[in-house]
Amino acid sequence: AWEQRFSELVAFKRQHGHCDVPTECTNNHALGIWLKGQKRQYNLFRYGWKSAMTQERVRRLSEVGVRWYVRRPKMAANTDAKRRRKDSSSSSSSSGGGVKAKKARRKQCGGRGE
């Protein structure tokens, strides 16, 4: 199973030029979920907790181009969030963020949108 998903990841990278597999609204939903799980296993492995991750898997995933950390620094994220709140309060249209937009995207993907 792991080898099959890894092969899918290599094919995804060949096609898209990166390994940032989205988990929403794609034909690669299962691959995105698998990669998210690999990152979770990596964190357990890194801190010495019980994990299915091995040094060999870390090496192979890293070589193919997996970015283990993709979060922005907390200060930058807070600044962006404040800017979005300010922008959304000054205009009447909601253009991307927020609970309503997230529910609408889920509904478009066939998920729960209530």
Side-chain angles (χ1 to χ4, degrees):
W2 193 92
E3 288 295 331
Q4 174 63 34
R5 290 289 186 214
F6 182 75
S7 295
E8 291 175 23
L9 180 62
V10 170
F12 180 90
K13 173 150 188 200
R14 202 174 302 126
Q15 181 179 1
H16 299 283
H18 60 80
C19 291
D20 299 328
V21 184
T23 57
E24 295 181 3
C25 297
T26 70
N27 296 332
N28 301 303
H29 177 74
L31 180 60
I33 295 298
W34 176 81
L35 185 57
K36 184 176 180 179
Q38 296 305 300
K39 291 178 179 184
R40 191 175 323 116
Q41 290 298 315
Y42 171 75
N43 280 325
L44 293 172
F45 177 76
R46 194 177 80 165
Y47 290 109
W49 292 24
K50 186 175 179 178
S51 167
M53 186 58 65
T54 64
Q55 191 62 44
E56 176 68 12
R57 287 179 176 180
V58 170
R59 182 188 64 76
R60 290 176 69 193
L61 290 165
S62 295
E63 283 178 357
V64 81
V66 169
R67 294 187 312 160
W68 297 107
Y69 305 103
V70 293
R71 291 189 176 155
R72 292 177 291 171
K74 191 172 187 174
M75 191 167 77
N78 286 340
T79 302
D80 290 346
K82 287 176 185 175
R83 187 178 302 122
R84 280 194 305 275
R85 280 195 300 270
K86 182 180 176 188
D87 291 346
S88 66
S89 66
S90 65
S91 71
S92 59
S93 66
S94 64
S95 63
V99 175
K100 287 183 181 180
K102 188 178 264 187
K103 286 183 180 181
R105 282 193 302 273
R106 242 187 261 142
K107 191 171 188 177
Q108 289 173 348
C109 298
R112 296 177 319 169
E114 60 278 336

Coordinates of all heavy atoms in Angstrom, one line a residue, residues 32-99:
G32 N -3.8 13.0 -1.2 CA -3.6 14.1 -0.3 C -3.7 13.7 1.1 O -3.0 14.1 2.0
I33 N -4.7 12.8 1.4 CA -5.0 12.3 2.8 C -3.8 11.5 3.2 O -3.3 11.5 4.3 CB -6.3 11.5 2.8 CG1 -7.5 12.5 2.6 CG2 -6.4 10.8 4.2 CD1 -7.7 13.6 3.5
W34 N -3.3 10.6 2.3 CA -2.2 9.8 2.6 C -0.9 10.6 2.9 O -0.2 10.3 3.9 CB -1.8 8.8 1.4 CG -0.6 8.0 1.6 CD1 -0.5 6.8 2.3 CD2 0.7 8.3 1.1 NE1 0.8 6.3 2.2 CE2 1.5 7.2 1.5 CE3 1.2 9.3 0.3 CZ2 2.9 7.1 1.2 CZ3 2.6 9.2 0.0 CH2 3.4 8.2 0.4
L35 N -0.7 11.6 2.1 CA 0.5 12.5 2.4 C 0.4 13.2 3.7 O 1.3 13.3 4.4 CB 0.7 13.5 1.2 CG 2.0 14.3 1.3 CD1 3.2 13.5 1.4 CD2 2.0 15.3 0.1
K36 N -0.8 13.7 4.0 CA -1.1 14.3 5.3 C -0.7 13.3 6.4 O -0.1 13.7 7.4 CB -2.5 14.8 5.4 CG -2.9 15.5 6.6 CD -4.3 16.0 6.5 CE -4.7 16.8 7.7 NZ -6.1 17.3 7.6
G37 N -1.1 12.1 6.3 CA -0.8 11.0 7.3 C 0.7 10.8 7.4 O 1.2 10.5 8.5
Q38 N 1.4 10.8 6.2 CA 2.8 10.7 6.3 C 3.5 11.8 7.1 O 4.4 11.5 7.8 CB 3.4 10.6 4.8 CG 2.9 9.4 4.0 CD 3.2 8.1 4.7 OE1 4.3 7.7 5.0 NE2 2.1 7.4 5.0
K39 N 3.0 13.0 6.9 CA 3.6 14.1 7.7 C 3.3 14.0 9.2 O 4.1 14.3 10.0 CB 3.0 15.4 7.1 CG 3.5 15.7 5.7 CD 2.9 17.0 5.2 CE 3.5 17.3 3.8 NZ 3.0 18.6 3.3
R40 N 2.1 13.4 9.5 CA 1.8 13.2 10.9 C 2.7 12.1 11.5 O 3.2 12.3 12.6 CB 0.3 12.8 11.0 CG -0.2 12.7 12.4 CD -1.7 12.4 12.5 NE -2.5 13.0 11.4 CZ -3.2 12.3 10.5 NH1 -3.1 11.0 10.5 NH2 -3.9 12.9 9.6
Q41 N 2.9 11.0 10.7 CA 3.8 10.0 11.1 C 5.2 10.5 11.3 O 6.0 10.1 12.2 CB 3.7 8.8 10.1 CG 2.4 8.0 10.2 CD 2.2 7.4 11.5 OE1 3.1 6.8 12.1 NE2 1.0 7.5 12.0
Y42 N 5.6 11.4 10.4 CA 7.0 11.9 10.4 C 7.2 12.7 11.8 O 8.2 12.6 12.4 CB 7.2 12.9 9.3 CG 8.5 13.7 9.4 CD1 9.7 13.1 9.2 CD2 8.4 15.0 9.8 CE1 10.9 13.9 9.3 CE2 9.6 15.8 9.9 CZ 10.8 15.2 9.6 OH 12.0 15.9 9.8
N43 N 6.2 13.5 12.2 CA 6.3 14.2 13.4 C 6.4 13.3 14.6 O 7.2 13.5 15.5 CB 5.1 15.2 13.6 CG 5.3 16.4 12.8 OD1 6.4 16.9 12.7 ND2 4.3 17.0 12.2
L44 N 5.6 12.2 14.6 CA 5.7 11.2 15.7 C 7.1 10.6 15.7 O 7.8 10.5 16.8 CB 4.7 10.1 15.5 CG 3.2 10.5 15.7 CD1 2.3 9.4 15.3 CD2 2.9 11.0 17.1
F45 N 7.6 10.2 14.5 CA 8.9 9.6 14.4 C 10.0 10.5 14.8 O 10.9 10.1 15.6 CB 9.1 9.3 12.9 CG 10.5 8.7 12.5 CD1 10.8 7.4 12.9 CD2 11.4 9.5 11.9 CE1 12.0 6.8 12.5 CE2 12.6 8.9 11.5 CZ 12.9 7.6 11.9
R46 N 9.9 11.8 14.5 CA 10.9 12.8 14.8 C 11.1 13.0 16.3 O 12.1 13.2 16.8 CB 10.5 14.1 14.2 CG 11.5 15.2 14.1 CD 11.0 16.4 13.4 NE 10.2 17.1 14.4 CZ 9.8 18.4 14.2 NH1 10.1 19.0 13.1 NH2 9.2 19.0 15.1
Y47 N 9.9 12.8 17.0 CA 10.0 13.0 18.5 C 10.2 11.7 19.2 O 10.1 11.7 20.5 CB 8.8 13.8 19.0 CG 8.8 15.2 18.6 CD1 7.9 15.7 17.6 CD2 9.7 16.1 19.1 CE1 8.0 17.0 17.2 CE2 9.8 17.4 18.7 CZ 8.9 17.9 17.8 OH 8.9 19.2 17.4
G48 N 10.4 10.6 18.5 CA 10.7 9.3 19.1 C 9.5 8.6 19.6 O 9.6 7.6 20.4
W49 N 8.3 8.9 19.1 CA 7.1 8.2 19.5 C 6.8 7.1 18.5 O 7.4 7.0 17.5 CB 5.9 9.2 19.4 CG 5.9 10.2 20.5 CD1 7.0 10.7 21.1 CD2 4.8 10.9 21.0 NE1 6.6 11.7 22.0 CE2 5.3 11.9 22.0 CE3 3.4 10.9 20.8 CZ2 4.5 12.7 22.7 CZ3 2.6 11.7 21.5 CH2 3.1 12.6 22.5
K50 N 6.0 6.2 18.9 CA 5.7 5.0 18.0 C 5.1 5.5 16.7 O 4.1 6.3 16.7 CB 4.7 4.1 18.7 CG 4.4 2.8 18.0 CD 3.5 1.9 18.8 CE 3.3 0.7 17.9 NZ 2.4 -0.3 18.7
S51 N 5.6 5.0 15.6 CA 5.2 5.6 14.3 C 5.5 4.5 13.2 O 6.4 3.7 13.4 CB 6.0 6.8 14.0 OG 5.9 7.2 12.6
A52 N 4.7 4.6 12.1 CA 5.0 3.7 11.0 C 6.1 4.3 10.1 O 6.5 3.6 9.2 CB 3.7 3.5 10.2
M53 N 6.5 5.5 10.4 CA 7.6 6.1 9.6 C 8.9 5.5 9.9 O 9.2 5.1 11.0 CB 7.6 7.6 9.9 CG 8.5 8.4 9.0 SD 8.2 8.3 7.2 CE 6.6 9.1 7.1
T54 N 9.7 5.4 8.9 CA 11.1 4.9 9.0 C 12.1 5.9 8.4 O 11.7 6.8 7.6 CB 11.3 3.6 8.3 OG1 11.1 3.8 6.9 CG2 10.3 2.5 8.8
Q55 N 13.4 5.8 8.8 CA 14.4 6.7 8.2 C 14.4 6.6 6.7 O 14.5 7.6 6.0 CB 15.7 6.4 8.8 CG 16.8 7.5 8.5 CD 16.4 8.8 9.1 OE1 15.9 8.9 10.2 NE2 16.5 9.9 8.3
E56 N 14.2 5.4 6.2 CA 14.2 5.1 4.7 C 13.1 5.9 4.1 O 13.2 6.5 3.0 CB 14.1 3.6 4.4 CG 14.0 3.3 3.0 CD 15.3 3.6 2.2 OE1 16.3 3.9 2.7 OE2 15.2 3.5 0.9
R57 N 11.9 5.8 4.7 CA 10.7 6.5 4.1 C 10.9 8.0 4.1 O 10.6 8.7 3.2 CB 9.4 6.1 4.8 CG 9.0 4.7 4.5 CD 7.7 4.3 5.2 NE 7.3 3.0 4.8 CZ 6.2 2.4 5.3 NH1 5.5 3.1 6.3 NH2 5.8 1.3 4.9
V58 N 11.5 8.5 5.2 CA 11.8 10.0 5.3 C 12.7 10.4 4.2 O 12.5 11.4 3.5 CB 12.4 10.3 6.7 CG1 12.9 11.7 6.7 CG2 11.4 10.1 7.8
R59 N 13.7 9.6 4.0 CA 14.7 9.9 2.9 C 14.0 9.9 1.5 O 14.2 10.8 0.8 CB 15.8 8.8 2.9 CG 16.9 9.1 1.9 CD 17.9 8.0 1.8 NE 17.3 6.7 1.3 CZ 17.0 6.5 0.1 NH1 17.2 7.4 -0.9 NH2 16.4 5.3 -0.3
R60 N 13.2 8.9 1.2 CA 12.6 8.8 -0.1 C 11.6 9.9 -0.3 O 11.5 10.5 -1.4 CB 11.9 7.4 -0.2 CG 12.9 6.3 -0.4 CD 12.3 4.9 -0.4 NE 11.6 4.8 -1.7 CZ 10.7 3.8 -1.9 NH1 10.4 2.9 -1.0 NH2 10.1 3.7 -3.1
L61 N 10.8 10.2 0.7 CA 9.8 11.3 0.6 C 10.5 12.6 0.4 O 10.1 13.5 -0.4 CB 8.9 11.3 1.8 CG 7.9 10.1 1.8 CD1 7.2 10.0 3.2 CD2 6.8 10.3 0.8
S62 N 11.6 12.8 1.2 CA 12.4 14.1 1.1 C 13.0 14.2 -0.3 O 13.0 15.3 -0.9 CB 13.5 14.1 2.2 OG 12.9 14.2 3.4
E63 N 13.6 13.1 -0.8 CA 14.2 13.2 -2.1 C 13.2 13.5 -3.2 O 13.6 14.2 -4.2 CB 14.9 11.8 -2.4 CG 16.2 11.6 -1.7 CD 16.8 10.3 -2.0 OE1 16.2 9.4 -2.7 OE2 17.9 10.0 -1.5
V64 N 12.0 13.0 -3.1 CA 11.0 13.3 -4.2 C 10.5 14.8 -4.0 O 9.9 15.3 -5.0 CB 9.8 12.3 -4.1 CG1 8.8 12.6 -3.1 CG2 9.2 12.2 -5.5
G65 N 10.7 15.4 -2.9 CA 10.4 16.8 -2.8 C 9.3 17.2 -1.8 O 8.7 18.3 -1.8
V66 N 9.0 16.3 -0.8 CA 7.9 16.6 0.2 C 8.5 17.7 1.1 O 9.6 17.6 1.6 CB 7.6 15.3 1.0 CG1 6.8 15.6 2.2 CG2 6.9 14.3 0.1
R67 N 7.6 18.7 1.3 CA 7.9 19.8 2.2 C 7.3 19.4 3.5 O 6.1 19.3 3.6 CB 7.4 21.1 1.7 CG 8.1 21.6 0.5 CD 7.7 22.9 0.0 NE 6.2 23.1 0.1 CZ 5.6 24.3 0.1 NH1 6.3 25.4 0.2 NH2 4.3 24.4 0.1
W68 N 8.1 19.1 4.5 CA 7.6 18.6 5.8 C 6.9 19.7 6.6 O 5.9 19.5 7.3 CB 8.7 18.0 6.6 CG 9.3 16.8 6.0 CD1 10.5 16.7 5.4 CD2 8.7 15.5 5.8 NE1 10.7 15.5 4.9 CE2 9.6 14.7 5.1 CE3 7.4 15.0 6.2 CZ2 9.3 13.4 4.8 CZ3 7.2 13.7 5.9 CH2 8.1 12.9 5.2
Y69 N 7.3 21.0 6.4 CA 6.7 22.1 7.1 C 6.3 23.1 6.1 O 7.1 23.6 5.3 CB 7.8 22.7 8.1 CG 8.3 21.7 9.0 CD1 9.6 21.2 8.8 CD2 7.6 21.3 10.1 CE1 10.2 20.3 9.6 CE2 8.2 20.3 10.9 CZ 9.4 19.8 10.7 OH 9.9 18.9 11.5
V70 N 5.0 23.5 6.1 CA 4.5 24.5 5.2 C 3.8 25.6 5.9 O 3.3 26.5 5.2 CB 3.6 23.8 4.1 CG1 4.3 22.9 3.2 CG2 2.4 23.1 4.8
R71 N 3.8 25.6 7.2 CA 3.1 26.7 7.9 C 3.9 28.0 7.9 O 5.2 27.9 8.0 CB 2.7 26.3 9.3 CG 1.7 25.2 9.3 CD 1.2 25.0 10.7 NE 0.1 24.1 10.7 CZ -0.2 23.3 11.7 NH1 0.5 23.4 12.8 NH2 -1.2 22.5 11.6
R72 N 3.2 29.1 7.8 CA 3.9 30.4 7.9 C 4.2 30.7 9.4 O 3.6 30.1 10.3 CB 3.1 31.5 7.4 CG 2.9 31.4 5.9 CD 2.0 32.4 5.4 NE 0.7 32.1 5.9 CZ -0.4 32.9 5.8 NH1 -0.2 34.1 5.3 NH2 -1.5 32.6 6.3
P73 N 5.2 31.5 9.7 CA 5.4 31.9 11.1 C 4.1 32.5 11.7 O 3.4 33.1 11.0 CB 6.5 33.0 11.0 CG 7.2 32.7 9.7 CD 6.1 32.2 8.8
K74 N 3.9 32.2 13.0 CA 2.7 32.6 13.6 C 2.5 34.1 13.5 O 1.3 34.6 13.3 CB 2.7 32.2 15.1 CG 1.4 32.3 15.8 CD 1.5 31.7 17.2 CE 0.1 31.7 17.8 NZ 0.1 31.0 19.1
M75 N 3.5 34.9 13.7 CA 3.3 36.4 13.6 C 2.7 36.8 12.2 O 1.8 37.6 12.1 CB 4.6 37.1 13.9 CG 4.4 38.6 14.1 SD 5.9 39.3 14.7 CE 6.9 39.4 13.3
A76 N 3.3 36.2 11.2 CA 2.8 36.5 9.8 C 1.3 36.1 9.6 O 0.5 36.8 9.1 CB 3.7 35.9 8.8
A77 N 1.0 34.9 10.2 CA -0.4 34.4 10.1 C -1.3 35.3 10.8 O -2.4 35.6 10.3 CB -0.4 33.0 10.6
N78 N -0.9 35.8 12.0 CA -1.8 36.7 12.8 C -2.0 38.0 12.0 O -3.1 38.6 12.0 CB -1.2 37.0 14.1 CG -1.3 35.8 15.1 OD1 -2.2 34.9 14.9 ND2 -0.5 35.8 16.1
T79 N -1.0 38.5 11.4 CA -1.1 39.8 10.7 C -2.0 39.6 9.5 O -2.9 40.5 9.2 CB 0.3 40.2 10.2 OG1 1.2 40.4 11.3 CG2 0.3 41.5 9.4
D80 N -1.9 38.5 8.8 CA -2.8 38.2 7.6 C -4.2 38.1 8.1 O -5.1 38.6 7.4 CB -2.4 37.0 6.9 CG -1.1 37.1 6.1 OD1 -0.7 38.3 6.0 OD2 -0.5 36.1 5.7
A81 N -4.5 37.4 9.2 CA -5.8 37.3 9.7 C -6.4 38.6 10.1 O -7.6 38.9 9.8 CB -5.8 36.3 11.0
K82 N -5.6 39.5 10.7 CA -6.1 40.8 11.1 C -6.5 41.6 9.8 O -7.5 42.3 9.7 CB -5.1 41.6 11.9 CG -5.0 41.1 13.3 CD -3.9 41.8 14.0 CE -3.6 41.2 15.4 NZ -2.5 41.8 16.1
R83 N -5.6 41.5 8.8 CA -5.9 42.2 7.5 C -7.2 41.7 6.9 O -8.0 42.4 6.4 CB -4.7 42.0 6.6 CG -4.8 42.8 5.3 CD -3.6 42.7 4.4 NE -2.4 43.1 5.1 CZ -1.3 42.2 5.3 NH1 -1.3 41.0 4.8 NH2 -0.2 42.7 5.9
R84 N -7.4 40.3 6.9 CA -8.6 39.8 6.3 C -9.9 40.3 7.0 O -10.9 40.6 6.4 CB -8.5 38.3 6.3 CG -7.7 37.7 5.2 CD -8.0 36.2 5.0 NE -7.7 35.4 6.2 CZ -6.6 34.9 6.6 NH1 -5.5 35.2 5.9 NH2 -6.5 34.2 7.7
R85 N -9.8 40.3 8.4 CA -10.9 40.8 9.1 C -11.2 42.2 8.8 O -12.4 42.6 8.6 CB -10.7 40.6 10.6 CG -10.9 39.2 11.2 CD -11.0 39.2 12.7 NE -9.8 39.7 13.3 CZ -8.7 38.9 13.7 NH1 -8.7 37.7 13.4 NH2 -7.7 39.5 14.3
K86 N -10.2 43.0 8.7 CA -10.4 44.4 8.4 C -11.0 44.6 7.0 O -11.9 45.3 6.8 CB -9.0 45.2 8.4 CG -9.2 46.7 8.1 CD -7.8 47.3 8.2 CE -7.9 48.8 7.8 NZ -6.6 49.4 7.7
D87 N -10.4 43.8 6.0 CA -11.0 43.9 4.6 C -12.4 43.4 4.5 O -13.2 44.0 3.8 CB -10.1 43.0 3.7 CG -8.7 43.6 3.5 OD1 -8.5 44.8 3.8 OD2 -7.8 42.9 3.0
S88 N -12.7 42.3 5.2 CA -14.1 41.8 5.1 C -15.1 42.7 5.8 O -16.3 42.8 5.4 CB -14.2 40.4 5.7 OG -14.0 40.4 7.1
S89 N -14.7 43.4 6.9 CA -15.6 44.3 7.5 C -15.8 45.6 6.7 O -16.9 46.3 6.8 CB -15.1 44.7 9.0 OG -13.9 45.4 8.9
S90 N -14.9 46.0 5.9 CA -15.0 47.2 5.1 C -15.7 47.0 3.8 O -16.1 47.9 3.1 CB -13.6 47.8 4.9 OG -12.8 47.0 4.1
S91 N -15.8 45.7 3.4 CA -16.5 45.5 2.1 C -17.7 44.5 2.4 O -17.6 43.6 3.3 CB -15.6 44.9 1.0 OG -15.2 43.6 1.4
S92 N -18.7 44.5 1.6 CA -19.8 43.7 1.9 C -19.7 42.3 1.2 O -20.4 41.4 1.6 CB -21.1 44.3 1.3 OG -21.0 44.5 0.0
S93 N -18.8 42.1 0.3 CA -18.6 40.8 -0.3 C -17.6 39.9 0.4 O -16.6 40.5 0.8 CB -18.2 40.9 -1.8 OG -16.9 41.5 -1.8
S94 N -17.9 38.7 0.6 CA -16.9 37.8 1.2 C -16.2 37.0 0.1 O -16.9 36.3 -0.6 CB -17.5 36.8 2.2 OG -18.4 36.0 1.6
S95 N -14.9 37.1 0.0 CA -14.2 36.6 -1.2 C -13.3 35.5 -0.9 O -12.2 35.5 -1.4 CB -13.5 37.7 -1.9 OG -12.5 38.2 -0.9
G96 N -13.6 34.5 -0.1 CA -12.7 33.4 0.1 C -12.6 32.8 1.4 O -12.8 31.6 1.5
G97 N -12.4 33.6 2.5 CA -12.3 33.0 3.8 C -13.6 32.9 4.5 O -14.7 33.2 4.0
G98 N -13.5 32.4 5.7 CA -14.7 32.4 6.6 C -15.5 31.1 6.5 O -15.3 30.3 5.6
V99 N -16.3 30.9 7.5 CA -17.1 29.7 7.6 C -18.1 29.5 6.4 O -18.2 28.4 5.9 CB -17.9 29.7 8.9 CG1 -18.8 28.5 9.0 CG2 -16.9 29.7 10.1

